[in-house]
Amino acid sequence: MAFYTELVEVTLFYFVYKRRIIDYGILGRLLLIQSYSYITYGVENLFFQLIGKQDTSINSMICGFIFVLIEYILFTKTTVVENLDNEYGKVYFFLILYLYFGSIAVYYLANYVIKIDILAYTIAIIIIIGQLIFSLYIYNSSKKIRQDKLSLQQIKDLKTYTQQLESSQRSLRKFKHDYQNMLLSLKLSAKKSHDKELIDKLAEYSSKTLEDEVLWQFNDVDNVKDELLKSLFISKLNRIFQDNIQYSFECRDVIDSLSNKYNAFDIIRILGITYDNAIEESLELGDEARIDTMVYRENGELEIEIKNRCRNTDLTIQDMKKSGFTTKKNHDGLGLANIEELSQPYNDIFINYQIKDGWFTFLMVMSI
């Protein structure tokens, strides 16, 4: 009955606090608390059997206070719970689910199937702790694999950027050489009064070369010297280009590096979420889609503005900031709410959103 009572409790809490149809964050938190209760119950019983004392009400109260204190520290001062809200949260949830059912199985085996003695409890606790260590190992390994994959993608994007620059430089050098020859021919032809025909050919040749989109794909990105920031811009611009979305990128000032007062990965994640939202909206919008990026540096401040065309909607910015909000099917809805959470620790980061005339505008201002 205890198991079914806790199952009903978890179910009720889930339906009260869930933010979407399947909320891995809320369910994971509930199962984590239940798993902790099973583990601490086993530890408490093992402790009293080892010291040879009876588990009285006073002793249980003392142990209960200690375990609640540890639970508070564990769930509020560490990243045990926060891991459910990041991009690897779904994987982390299934590890908690595995730990939860494993803890239940070991608990009932130790209490109702195996003879209750010190050895049974010791084995049960060792198995549960072993499961916990194994689960954390699997989670960290999975996270590292994804991060390594991301690093490889960044290297690939930088390689693409380098190759594109080299190709652009070769094209410009070739064009310069051909252009000089064309000018020389024009000078000679002018003497024969055929200059208009040659000028038209020269204009057509110039237009074909200078208007090549690939030639200007990463225009101005070279002014961004910070490696993480440059890698992000290259990655997102390359994705936008591959998805055939109209775009522009402007950065006339040299951006050496981000301020040391910020965690660079927080800034990158904020911009990454903004770009992902803009790209997803652009793919929904179709041919009218466009994404514009402007990077400014002025008076010791860095301003990054990302604008994208958006569909007509009655939604407000406050609606979009709510945790779990999404207009997309099978989407976790961690957009603006996640941006707010990432920027919250920094008092000198200003972030503003605006929806006006069919454009969604993201603006971030910070020290540099």
Side-chain angles (χ1 to χ4, degrees):
M1 288 303 297
F3 169 75
Y4 291 111
T5 301
E6 290 179 349
L7 189 62
V8 170
E9 181 183 23
V10 168
T11 304
L12 289 175
F13 269 106
Y14 174 73
F15 280 107
V16 169
Y17 290 102
K18 73 182 182 72
R19 298 162 296 187
R20 44 191 175 272
I21 297 176
I22 302 178
D23 195 329
Y24 295 105
I26 295 297
L27 189 56
R29 283 166 168 81
L30 294 171
L31 296 182
L32 196 60
I33 292 172
Q34 294 295 339
S35 299
Y36 181 82
S37 67
Y38 281 114
I39 294 172
T40 54
Y41 177 82
V43 171
E44 181 181 343
N45 279 274
L46 177 62
F47 174 74
F48 285 119
Q49 290 197 37
L50 288 174
I51 65 175
K53 289 187 177 181
Q54 190 176 1
D55 186 3
T56 63
S57 298
I58 296 177
N59 291 336
S60 293
M61 288 178 62
I62 295 173
C63 285
F65 175 78
I66 294 172
F67 287 137
V68 168
L69 182 61
I70 294 173
E71 183 178 21
Y72 172 77
I73 295 172
L74 185 66
F75 292 161
T76 62
K77 305 300 181 182
T78 70
T79 59
V80 170
V81 174
E82 292 177 2
N83 287 329
L84 284 163
D85 296 327
N86 61 30
E87 57 267 41
Y88 313 107
K90 193 172 181 179
V91 175
Y92 193 66
F93 164 78
F94 284 109
L95 291 176
I96 292 174
L97 191 65
Y98 166 76
L99 177 64
Y100 173 69
F101 284 109
S103 302
I104 291 175
V106 171
Y107 170 77
Y108 281 100
L109 282 174
N111 282 275
Y112 301 108
V113 179
I114 304 173
K115 183 181 178 181
I116 301 175
D117 55 18
I118 296 177
L119 180 60
Y121 274 116
T122 304
I123 294 174
I125 296 304
I126 290 174
I127 292 175
I128 291 175
I129 293 175
Q131 283 186 330
L132 179 61
I133 294 173
F134 177 73
S135 298
L136 290 174
Y137 173 77
I138 293 295
Y139 170 74
N140 288 326
S141 298
S142 174
K143 186 176 180 179
K144 186 176 185 302
I145 290 172
R146 291 196 178 194
Q147 289 176 338
D148 290 343
K149 185 178 179 180
L150 178 61
S151 298
L152 289 174
Q153 183 62 44
Q154 290 176 336
I155 292 172
K156 182 180 177 181
D157 290 334
L158 285 172
K159 184 177 180 181
T160 300
Y161 169 66
T162 303
Q163 290 174 343
Q164 192 61 60
L165 282 181
E166 291 175 353
S167 176
S168 298
Q169 289 296 323
R170 286 195 298 269
S171 297
L172 287 174
R173 283 197 297 268
K174 185 176 183 297
F175 175 75
K176 180 181 177 181
H177 179 267
D178 293 344
Y179 204 83
Q180 288 174 334
N181 290 334
M182 293 286 280
L183 286 175
L184 180 60
S185 299
L186 178 62
K187 181 179 179 180
L188 296 174
S189 179
K191 298 178 179 180
K192 301 178 182 180
S193 300
H194 298 302
D195 53 316
K196 186 179 185 302
E197 180 182 355
L198 193 55
I199 288 174
D200 291 338
K201 290 182 179 180
L202 182 61
E204 180 183 355
Y205 177 77
S206 303
S207 175
K208 183 178 179 182
T209 302
L210 293 177
E211 291 179 6
D212 188 349
E213 291 183 2
V214 177
L215 187 66
W216 306 107
Q217 182 181 352
F218 297 118
N219 189 37
D220 276 2
V221 176
D222 192 49
N223 285 330
V224 181
K225 305 301 180 182
D226 184 271
E227 292 183 0
L228 283 176
L229 201 57
K230 173 180 280 191
S231 179
L232 172 83
F233 286 139
I234 292 171
S235 174
K236 299 306 179 183
L237 290 177
N238 189 49
R239 182 183 168 188
I240 292 169
F241 181 80
Q242 296 299 326
D243 287 336
N244 296 316
I245 301 171
Q246 298 182 59
Y247 73 98
S248 68
F249 180 88
E250 181 180 319
C251 179
R252 302 300 172 83
D253 305 310
V254 175
I255 311 300
D256 296 316
S257 62
L258 297 175
S259 174
N260 293 329
K261 67 173 71 175
Y262 310 122
N263 185 329
F265 290 102
D266 287 339
I267 306 301
I268 297 304
R269 286 183 64 191
I270 289 172
L271 295 174
I273 291 170
T274 304
Y275 269 117
D276 289 341
N277 289 340
I279 292 171
E280 288 174 0
E281 177 66 14
S282 297
L283 293 176
E284 294 289 334
L285 196 59
D287 295 336
E288 297 180 2
R290 183 177 179 86
I291 301 174
D292 294 332
T293 305
M294 286 169 281
V295 183
Y296 305 95
R297 178 179 181 175
E298 187 175 4
N299 299 325
E301 290 186 334
L302 176 65
E303 298 183 18
I304 300 177
E305 183 181 85
I306 301 172
K307 298 173 58 178
N308 64 277
R309 291 191 185 276
C310 59
R311 292 165 289 177
N312 294 327
T313 177
D314 295 328
L315 293 169
T316 65
I317 297 297
Q318 293 303 318
D319 293 329
M320 300 172 70
K321 283 184 179 181
K322 293 178 181 177
S323 182
F325 167 81
T326 179
T327 59
K328 311 172 188 69
K329 294 182 179 179
N330 301 319
H331 196 274
D332 288 336
L334 293 178
L336 300 191
N338 211 19
I339 289 177
E340 293 294 305
E341 183 179 342
L342 289 168
S343 62
Q344 189 175 10
Y346 308 107
N347 295 325
D348 58 344
I349 288 184
F350 171 77
I351 293 181
N352 185 57
Y353 316 97
Q354 185 182 51
I355 300 178
K356 186 178 181 181
D357 299 330
W359 287 86
F360 176 85
T361 303
F362 163 89
L363 175 65
M364 181 168 67
V365 182
M366 58 184 174
S367 303
I368 192 170

